[in-house]
Amino acid sequence: MTQDGTPDLNRRRFLQATGAVGLAGALGGVASATPGRSPGPKEDEILVGVAQGDDSPADVVKKAVPGKARIVHENKTLSYVAVKFPSQAADVARENFIEAVTKNDRVKYAEKNATLSTSLSPNDPRYGDQYAPQMVNADTAWDTTLGSSSVTIAVVDTGVQYDHPDLAGSFGSNPGYDFVDDDGDPYPDVLADEYHGTHVAGIAGGVTDNGTGTSGISNSTLISGRALDESGRGSTADIADAVEWAADQGADVINLSLGGGGYTSTMKNAVSYATNNGALVVAAAGNNGTSSVSYPAAYSECLAVSSLDPDGSLASYSQYGSSIELAAPGSNVLATLPTDDYGELSGTSMATPVVAGVAGLTLAQWDVDNVTLRDHLKNTAVDIGLSSSQQGSGRVDAANAVETDPANGGGGDGGDGGDDGGSGGSTSASVTDSLTNSADSKCWTYAFEYSNPSTVVISLDGPSYADFDLYANDGTGTCPSTSSYDYRSWTTTSQESITIDNPDTSADLSILVDSYSGSGSYTLEIVEYE
């Protein structure tokens, strides 16, 4: 791959096409929550994302904050601040602030601090034994591995009763962080009222084969990021901070059994950050039964999970749509509850940790990156006769995932990540170049190596004191712009990544690297999975 248009690198053609002028926006990482912030929803706040630079996000925003409002939170890694308005302030005051602050060239977005909630649906009374592990063939997978404490699953949810007899063995000496109360103890404030996170944790990682209670899917290490309050609701900022924190803790899998609030740049950037740092983010499709998947599951970075009834049919409450990637049992799932109890709950909230647990089992057996893991889970899923919008690639299957070597195709079109001595399931190319200022951008084209790749990942590693963004088109043969594109990654930093499943190879992949602000060198990398 060369700048002057000559082929090639690693058997690929990767050409610079044209320079262009561009614009874009998004965000980036965690300072701790600000003391004194109330738990739960924060509907009086506006989140403002700032392009990375020499000064802090708060310094950029503070001049635009009106007299009765104040900056109450700053996340320097994700590069955003929360601006709180008095509760009696009219909506027009917030709208005027959004309009004013976004006129600053450094501000990439301003949006409401939306409220998300647990993806739990009402369930029938307790009726008997577990069925979820058996439905996904975890009991067969356990003949090979029960899981490994070297694999970490983060539960971003309500608090978890981490000293529950069936969970204590899964948590280490530092069980997590409480983003609701801003302290180092993610334990529920009131055990009787706050049970969702404990149930989710028990499904994914309740200790198996310990002679106590129920069996979780995998014996992974669990960490808890308490981001939802006793009502099961929480702000975008708290959840985004918890996702970033989980990634910084080295979580291999992050479970998001929550949804609502619609698309926000803050949450998009949080799951992008986690994905770019090697975590697989698994999220609940939502519970209103409609044909569109809720956010955060609908973000391309998240593996969206629909819910099945015990008979294998799609649960009536489960949302579905083109974003669904896997299905899992989610109705009447028996797992841990406070206090030292067990019970059945239903929802895509329950299906999601089944997939997270299977991901944990898989990582205990196979050392693969998060892109290969995602592909492998889909390639080894079982077609249960539902439409792709209802089941995605199928029902997740632990035995297939554990017993099938990803290097041999993962039961389908999977690859091996390219660096672990596999059988050629991936290939990569890269180029290093530079942008000179915020009016500079460059377009590159890339010729696919595989005729039908399962996934292509585009990564940008740019300067730390600038804000570069990434755009891509597939199947068009035309260069994207900052206003017309098929895919984009536009956080407030210069670390960007785009993942395209089943890319259209009828034309070369076109990629635009744009400077939103600043200058410097960057490396652009393409990894193509067979």
Side-chain angles (χ1 to χ4, degrees):
M1 176 170 61
T2 62
Q3 181 176 331
D4 64 6
T6 60
D8 65 11
L9 180 67
N10 289 349
R11 304 172 316 225
R12 289 238 172 41
R13 183 168 56 86
F14 202 151
L15 308 178
Q16 178 188 333
T18 59
V21 176
L23 179 73
L27 101 57
V30 91
S32 63
T34 305
R37 279 162 60 76
S38 60
K42 298 176 176 62
E43 296 175 354
D44 297 327
E45 295 181 1
I46 300 298
L47 305 181
V48 183
V50 178
Q52 189 161 304
D54 293 332
D55 44 5
S56 72
D59 289 339
V60 174
V61 174
K62 63 184 179 183
K63 291 182 180 179
V65 177
K68 292 185 178 181
R70 59 192 176 94
I71 295 174
V72 294
H73 179 62
E74 181 181 42
N75 184 318
K76 292 183 178 179
T77 306
L78 296 180
S79 194
Y80 78 87
V81 297
V83 178
K84 179 176 174 58
F85 284 74
S87 58
Q88 68 272 21
D91 288 341
V92 67
R94 298 177 184 84
E95 293 169 1
N96 288 342
F97 170 69
I98 290 173
E99 181 179 358
V101 76
T102 51
K103 290 179 180 178
N104 187 325
D105 290 341
R106 289 282 304 283
V107 173
K108 300 192 79 170
Y109 69 85
E111 61 194 12
K112 293 180 179 179
N113 194 354
T115 299
L116 285 73
S117 59
T118 58
S119 295
L120 174 68
S121 287
N123 62 288
D124 294 329
R126 179 177 178 123
Y127 70 91
D129 298 327
Q130 288 178 275
Y131 77 95
Q134 295 88 338
M135 178 180 277
V136 299
N137 293 314
D139 49 347
T140 300
W142 293 334
D143 291 337
T144 301
T145 179
L146 290 172
S148 171
S149 60
S150 65
V151 176
T152 299
I153 299 175
V155 176
V156 175
D157 210 289
T158 64
V160 174
Q161 188 203 343
Y162 51 76
D163 60 358
H164 189 292
D166 235 0
L167 293 174
S170 298
F171 282 88
S173 58
N174 295 310
Y177 194 85
D178 188 339
F179 291 85
V180 176
D181 294 334
D182 188 30
D183 60 49
D185 187 0
Y187 208 76
D189 286 348
V190 181
L191 284 170
D193 297 337
E194 196 169 338
Y195 51 83
H196 189 270
T198 300
H199 199 264
V200 167
I203 295 170
V207 183
T208 299
D209 200 32
N210 66 342
T212 302
T214 55
S215 297
I217 300 295
S218 68
N219 283 353
S220 300
T221 293
L222 297 178
I223 56 174
S224 168
R226 183 175 182 251
L228 307 179
D229 65 8
E230 293 84 354
S231 70
R233 304 170 72 217
S235 70
T236 295
D238 286 348
I239 298 164
D241 288 358
V243 169
E244 182 236 313
W245 164 84
D248 288 344
Q249 302 308 302
D252 300 290
V253 182
I254 299 176
N255 190 95
L256 299 180
S257 289
L258 47 82
Y263 180 101
T264 69
S265 292
T266 305
M267 189 64 70
K268 167 76 170 178
N269 291 324
V271 296
S272 293
Y273 178 86
T275 301
N276 292 345
N277 280 274
L280 176 66
V281 184
V282 186
N287 293 334
N288 66 19
T290 62
S291 59
S292 61
V293 174
S294 289
Y295 289 98
Y299 297 122
S300 60
E301 291 85 355
C302 295
L303 194 163
V305 181
S306 62
S307 180
L308 303 175
D309 283 338
D311 64 1
S313 61
L314 185 74
S316 60
Y317 56 78
S318 180
Q319 288 170 235
Y320 57 95
S322 59
S323 296
I324 294 295
E325 294 185 52
L326 288 171
S331 297
N332 303 104
V333 177
L334 180 64
T336 49
L337 287 175
T339 302
D340 300 347
D341 201 358
Y342 301 87
E344 293 174 3
L345 298 177
S346 296
T348 53
S349 276
M350 284 63 251
T352 303
V354 172
V355 174
V358 173
L361 278 179
T362 305
L363 289 173
Q365 181 68 10
W366 306 110
D367 183 14
V368 295
D369 62 31
N370 57 344
V371 176
T372 304
L373 174 62
R374 185 174 183 169
D375 250 5
H376 186 60
L377 293 176
K378 293 191 292 183
N379 291 336
T380 56
V382 175
D383 184 348
I384 54 175
L386 300 177
S387 67
S388 60
S389 66
Q390 295 175 325
Q391 69 171 359
S393 296
R395 187 193 66 221
V396 69
D397 192 282
N400 287 347
V402 166
E403 295 171 0
T404 305
D405 187 346
N408 295 328
D413 295 324
D416 71 348
D419 295 321
D420 57 359
S423 59
S426 70
T427 185
S428 64
S430 65
V431 64
T432 298
D433 203 74
S434 63
L435 297 176
T436 58
N437 54 49
S438 61
D440 195 10
S441 62
K442 290 182 180 177
C443 192
W444 302 85
T445 63
Y446 166 83
F448 288 97
E449 176 72 14
Y450 301 129
S451 58
N452 292 294
S454 63
T455 307
V456 62
V457 179
I458 312 165
S459 300
L460 176 67
D461 182 9
S464 59
Y465 291 101
D467 182 3
F468 291 0
D469 298 319
L470 188 62
Y471 302 81
N473 284 342
D474 68 333
T476 67
T478 59
C479 184
S481 69
T482 58
S483 59
S484 178
Y485 51 84
D486 293 332
Y487 307 91
R488 76 172 177 185
S489 178
W490 61 314
T491 73
T492 50
T493 73
S494 297
Q495 312 303 308
E496 308 291 351
S497 180
I498 292 171
T499 299
I500 306 174
D501 288 325
N502 302 312
D504 185 344
T505 60
S506 61
D508 288 352
L509 186 65
S510 300
I511 305 162
L512 180 73
V513 181
D514 175 74
S515 171
Y516 184 86
S517 65
S519 62
S521 298
Y522 65 86
T523 298
L524 181 65
E525 181 181 40
I526 304 290
V527 181
E528 190 181 346
Y529 294 84
E530 198 172 19

